[in-house]
Amino acid sequence: MHGRSEQTQLLDARVEQVRFAHGKRLEGLHELGIFRIRDLFEHYPFRYDDFSNIMRIIDLPLGEKNAVLGRIHEAKGRRTARGGYLYEATITDSSGMLRAVWFNQAWLADTLTVGRQILLLGKTEHYNGFLSMASPLYTLVAPQPAAADTSPRGDQQLQQVEQGPEPVGIAPVYRANSKLSSNWLKRIVLEAHKLVPEPLDPLPPGLRIRRKLVSRQAAWQGLHMPPNNEELALAHRRGAYEQVFWTQLRSVYAQKQLMQGLSGFTHQKVGSLSRALGGLLPFTLTDSQQRALAEIGADLAAPLRMNRLLLGDVGSGKTVVALHALVRAAESGWQAAMMAPTEVLANQYAAQLGPLLDELGIGWALLTSAVGASRRQELYEQLRTSGVQLVFGTHALLEPDVVFKELSLIVIDEQHRFGVEQRNSLIAKSPAADFLSMTATPIPRSLALVRYGSIQASYLDNRPQKTRTTTVALGSSVAYKAYEAVREALARQEQAYIVCPLISAPEPADGEDIPYLDDWESFSDEPYIAAAEAELAHLRTQVFPERRIELLTSRVKSEEKQRIMAEFREGRVDILVSTTVIEVGVDVPNATVMLVLDADRFGLAQLHQLRGRVGRGTRDASCFLISHNPSQGARTRLALLQKYTDGLRLAEADLAMRSEGDIAGTRQHGAGSLSLINVIRDSSLIEAAHADARELLDTDPELALAEHRHLRFELMREGSTDSN
Ligand code: ADP
Ligand code: MG
């Protein structure tokens, strides 16, 4: 056997070194993102089937998943009326009788035969007066020959006879594929444990003691071969902590490296221009705007580079907070830039904020792809010489020709709409500049930490508007109620949106994940267009023939779009039918009703953002979410939307049901790097890991101390810094 440090180095060896990891199975491993031995250990089971707690049939609680051990008393298969196959067995133990059924598995007639001992794991239900399990997991077992019986645990004298590794106890189930089954993975992981039984623990002992974390070795063993639920829980805790800890350590470290040799901008304290801006605004800031501004202000005045995310629902008033920050930059004699994902939005800044800046005498400009070549050259020159202090723009700001004299503040609005490279290419124009990003996507603090590591977050959690939007989920048989509400709103001279679904996609299966946060942002609305056109025709001819109804999709030409939007804003169009691509910046206070058709096809965050388009005026609004036959998962989501009007509460409720691995998508991170985390349940663990990473790097920035040697090795090893 290798020594501990050689074993530790083996973690970065190719996975082929493990027994059984070759040929097709190796391809299967690669498809799962497993290339090195380490990846194998970090490919955690996504589920455990708990066969450990075997209950007597008579004690089985209804509606719960449990294991029983019994004998097959009777068994028969039959064709169902619909041409399927149903296999039914009666299982008995000393306490009672249980019915088990399986569907469309004709081979069971040869395996689950009368008299065999069987271990079942399933949910107990009542069916026609019988205790029953539908499609339970099963294993055939045989009592061990008495002579060979040396096990002290009488109730577990079981021996697997039919299939691979014994699923007695707590059986891990792995994400697998056609080339590699979960059972094979289990074997390969066992082999890896033989090769690397005692890797060194990278976490310093002091930290482990303080946070009560078991060793790496215990964590990997506990997660892959849990002897019982208690050890599984301890292993899980260490695994979860570590997943967050590394993202934190990497991102804090990267941030510090970036700042090395750069002195950040120390902005002046609030001056006369900032005060004058307050007087120019037609409203006073809400409490949460003031709080956010104070947090941002403190960062601006500090020499360290600001890296802050401003989060607030649509309409919570982020723009004016950003404006205050921009003015601070100008006041300090430096430059600032604010980037938007669309031209509409950039134009809106110019239209709304420009006049205020003019009043203050601050030179500003707008840079989008619509700006002509000669004006553009002139603008480049002004930015280079600081002739212009503030610039609003789109992606056009990223052009290499855009060079600033002294850019001290960068603001990115709707930041989730930009890719990492885009964000970085703007930052690269002035790496020490204070950085503020803004988003309406509700991200609880713990998720922001996990995603963005070293970032700080400010929340706008109350809206300046006083209106309420009521959300109602309706089955399609009562969808007429929603159309009635539209009719009533139109009669009051108000307006409505009708958002159309994807018609051609398959129904999402129950439990299937609808993208949570921003994945959908990049979806094209192409598949939705046919549905929207059909709905338009239906509304025009059948439902509201006397009304003006227009259609807005990505296929509508730019000028046409502007005309439709202008007419809708002026109240000349009554109903706007659209796909989900309702442009950013659509702000029509007189629209008070929204219908979302086939709402179960959309994600929570998407529905929340959509409904933010109504209720922007002085009147209360309503949003109807219509669906037929939603799956259980969809029904739960729609119920959450009815219950929570606040984006953050909503996100928390949604996130409580998911692991971060589901949300962030394991794609960017390699094999399930945050799969153990649930950002709501584990929020205190996340805070702890974040604090620990910061503290470590504050006291030992280069991890040069002897006790941090393994930590440093792990941080610096090849490939560990490409994420983030
Ligand atoms: P978002 O956070 O979605 O970017 P905006 O910044 O566009 O929201 O603000 C939404 C609307 O609310 C704007 O018309 C803005 O002028 C207005 N607004 C912002 N702050 C206040 C406030 N404190 N009181 C009243 N209205 C406000
Ligand atoms: Mg905004």
Side-chain angles (χ1 to χ4, degrees), residues 315 318-319 345 348-349 413-414 438 584:
K318 296 183 287 294
T319 320
L345 192 54
Q348 190 174 297
Y349 300 151
D413 198 3
E414 310 283 345
M438 309 201 287
V584 193

Side-chain angles (χ1 to χ4, degrees), residues 78-104:
R78 63 181 161 88
R79 296 261 146 227
T80 63
R82 297 186 152 200
Y85 179 84
L86 185 143
Y87 193 74
E88 187 173 9
T90 311
I91 318 289
T92 56
D93 70 2
S94 58
S95 76
M97 192 164 90
L98 172 79
R99 174 181 170 270
V101 290
W102 291 268
F103 304 96
N104 298 328

